[in-house]
Amino acid sequence: MSSSTSYSIKRILKNNTMFIALIIVMLLFQVLIVATDNGSLFAPSNITNIINQNAYVVILATGMLLCILTGGNIDLSVGSIVAFVGAVAGTLIVNLHWNIYIAIAMCLIVGILIGAWHGVWIAFVHIPPFIVTLAGMLLWRGAALIVLNGLTISPMPDKYLTLFSSYVPSISYDMIDQDPEKAASLTFAVTMIVAIVCCVVFVVAQLLQRNTKRRKGYETSAAGLFIARLMVFCFVILAVASLLGKDKGIPVILLIVAVIVAVYSYYTQNTVPGRYLYALGGNAKAAQLSGVNTDHVMFFAYTNMGFLSAVAALVCVARFNSAAPTAGTNYEMDAIGSCFIGGASAYGGTGTVGGAVIGAIFMGVLNNGMSILGVDSNWQKAVKGLVLLLAVLFDVMSKKRKASK
């Protein structure tokens, strides 16, 4: 094996450490669950549940990553924003009978305004993000209680639930009752077609990105390793799709999350404003001297966090079919943990949207696997805390090792 190939393999393993760890953990849980006769982690219905239960974590982790990139900053208010925007959604749609689409637009605007409110204090008044978002955590939780008067609003209209909680393809109950085999075949076929299209888009995007890097003189991995990576990711997509196709099809929320992840991945990796986030987190003084308006970058990061918190709120209202003042409790911890487990640096300037997604899935698999095995909820929290600590420790030790070279 040549030295260049060996180096490429080491780099791929390093860049995909958490993905490999996720696969190992999933296989370990599968062995334990089967050994204890508790079913299967890879049961089609369970995969659907994992997606539905953790969609909000992926959405919030995507926004939280942008905040962390700016210098290890976090947003403690996202759970409270979810509760408040959910309260607004429930009040407008159920109590005031607003048009659903106008109400959704209003909720998104509220989220953006809340994020901008935080951004002004952080970016232009220069109050530490921890203090501003801690105040926001208390403020918006109190506002949610005021709007709902401490009560829960439910149920939500079917039309609203369809936007976030339905499946592709949409099979009617009449068709399922009359010809269940045809319904199952149609669901599987459509799901696999969508998965194949996703694989083609992914492969084309990766090829274009690789050609762009080579044209600009950047280093790229060996062709064989590049092809192997594409094959692994396509296999994962097709495997997940086959499991979803055997259940209810593709959850609409998965499509929404996929669009969000794709847009923000492109933004952070392929646009100048996106790279400003990394520049700010890497060295704020150098970024300023290079002409980057760091205040505007910080303002955008927190405004965007408010927007994605509103999206997560709409998703959660549909999932629980209610708007409750206790919604969003500890959601900020799930989002922060997902980012750090996914490889984001506690010092800022390092991390990817894909890594945050893997971190969110990792947390979801831990929760789901331990729940199936009947692990006490207190032990579940202890395990997640230990995993988060180890992830940050790995980041700190890596930086020390680089500094010593």
Side-chain angles (χ1 to χ4, degrees):
M1 183 183 293
S2 66
S3 59
S4 60
T5 303
S6 177
Y7 173 75
S8 296
I9 292 175
K10 289 181 180 179
R11 190 176 63 176
I12 289 174
L13 292 175
K14 181 180 178 181
N15 292 339
N16 296 279
T17 301
M18 284 313 303
F19 180 74
I20 296 170
L22 173 61
I23 299 298
I24 293 173
V25 168
M26 292 181 73
L27 293 175
L28 176 62
F29 272 124
Q30 174 67 6
V31 171
L32 293 174
I33 291 170
V34 171
T36 54
D37 284 333
N38 284 307
S40 172
L41 181 70
F42 297 108
S45 59
N46 194 49
I47 297 299
T48 301
N49 288 336
I50 290 175
I51 292 171
N52 289 331
Q53 291 169 2
N54 294 280
Y56 78 90
V57 182
V58 176
I59 295 171
L60 292 176
T62 300
M64 190 67 71
L65 175 70
L66 271 59
C67 297
I68 292 173
L69 288 177
T70 61
N73 301 304
I74 57 176
D75 190 333
L76 295 174
S77 67
V78 295
S80 297
I81 297 174
V82 167
F84 177 68
V85 174
V88 172
T91 301
L92 295 180
I93 296 173
V94 178
N95 292 353
L96 301 180
H97 307 289
W98 276 36
N99 176 275
I100 289 176
Y101 299 103
I102 295 177
I104 289 174
M106 182 59 66
C107 289
L108 295 177
I109 291 172
V110 168
I112 292 171
L113 291 176
I114 291 173
W117 167 263
H118 293 164
V120 166
W121 296 110
I122 294 168
F124 303 118
V125 185
H126 300 293
I127 299 176
F130 183 88
I131 301 300
V132 173
T133 58
L134 178 61
M137 180 174 69
L138 301 173
L139 171 61
W140 306 117
R141 180 68 63 181
L145 288 165
I146 292 171
V147 171
L148 294 174
N149 196 27
L151 304 175
T152 297
I153 297 177
S154 66
M156 302 299 290
D158 291 338
K159 187 177 180 181
Y160 178 83
L161 298 178
T162 301
L163 294 175
F164 299 99
S165 301
S166 57
Y167 295 85
V168 176
S170 180
I171 306 296
S172 65
Y173 289 109
D174 291 338
M175 183 177 180
I176 295 175
D177 292 337
Q178 294 173 6
D179 196 342
E181 291 187 3
K182 182 179 179 181
S185 298
L186 179 61
T187 298
F188 186 82
V190 172
T191 302
M192 294 307 298
I193 290 172
V194 172
I196 291 171
V197 171
C198 290
C199 287
V200 171
V201 171
F202 174 75
V203 170
V204 171
Q206 290 296 307
L207 288 172
L208 291 175
Q209 187 179 51
R210 179 181 172 85
N211 288 335
T212 300
K213 286 183 176 180
R214 297 184 68 177
R215 189 171 62 252
K216 293 182 178 180
Y218 296 152
E219 186 180 6
T220 57
S221 59
L225 295 175
F226 175 73
I227 294 173
R229 179 173 174 269
L230 292 182
M231 292 177 64
V232 169
F233 276 90
C234 288
F235 172 79
V236 171
I237 292 173
L238 293 174
V240 172
S242 67
L243 292 173
L244 294 176
K246 294 175 182 177
D247 189 32
K248 300 176 183 177
I250 303 173
V252 168
I253 186 58
L254 178 59
L255 300 177
I256 295 173
V257 168
V259 170
I260 290 173
V261 169
V263 169
Y264 281 89
S265 292
Y266 182 84
Y267 176 80
T268 54
Q269 298 296 319
N270 298 285
T271 68
V272 174
R275 301 311 296 179
Y276 285 167
L277 293 163
Y278 290 90
L280 175 57
N283 191 321
K285 290 294 183 183
Q288 284 180 325
L289 293 173
S290 300
V292 177
N293 191 323
T294 54
D295 289 346
H296 287 176
V297 174
M298 188 72 78
F299 177 77
F300 167 76
Y302 280 89
T303 302
N304 175 74
M305 187 73 256
F307 166 72
L308 288 180
S309 296
V311 175
L314 295 172
V315 169
C316 290
V317 168
R319 179 189 164 206
F320 296 116
N321 196 17
S322 64
T326 56
T329 303
N330 291 330
Y331 281 14
E332 58 277 355
M333 300 306 168
D334 291 334
I336 294 168
S338 297
C339 291
F340 288 137
I341 291 173
S345 172
Y347 304 101
T350 302
T352 63
V353 173
V357 172
I358 291 175
I361 298 173
F362 193 96
M363 295 276 282
V365 169
L366 278 180
N367 287 332
N368 188 266
M370 288 189 291
S371 297
I372 294 175
L373 290 172
V375 177
D376 182 77
S377 61
N378 296 320
W379 278 104
Q380 291 186 30
K381 293 178 181 178
V383 170
K384 289 193 293 183
L386 182 61
V387 169
L388 176 58
L389 179 61
L390 291 174
V392 177
L393 177 63
F394 178 79
D395 171 55
V396 173
M397 295 304 292
S398 297
K399 286 191 176 297
K400 285 185 177 180
R401 189 161 55 249
K402 289 180 180 178
S404 64
K405 291 182 178 179

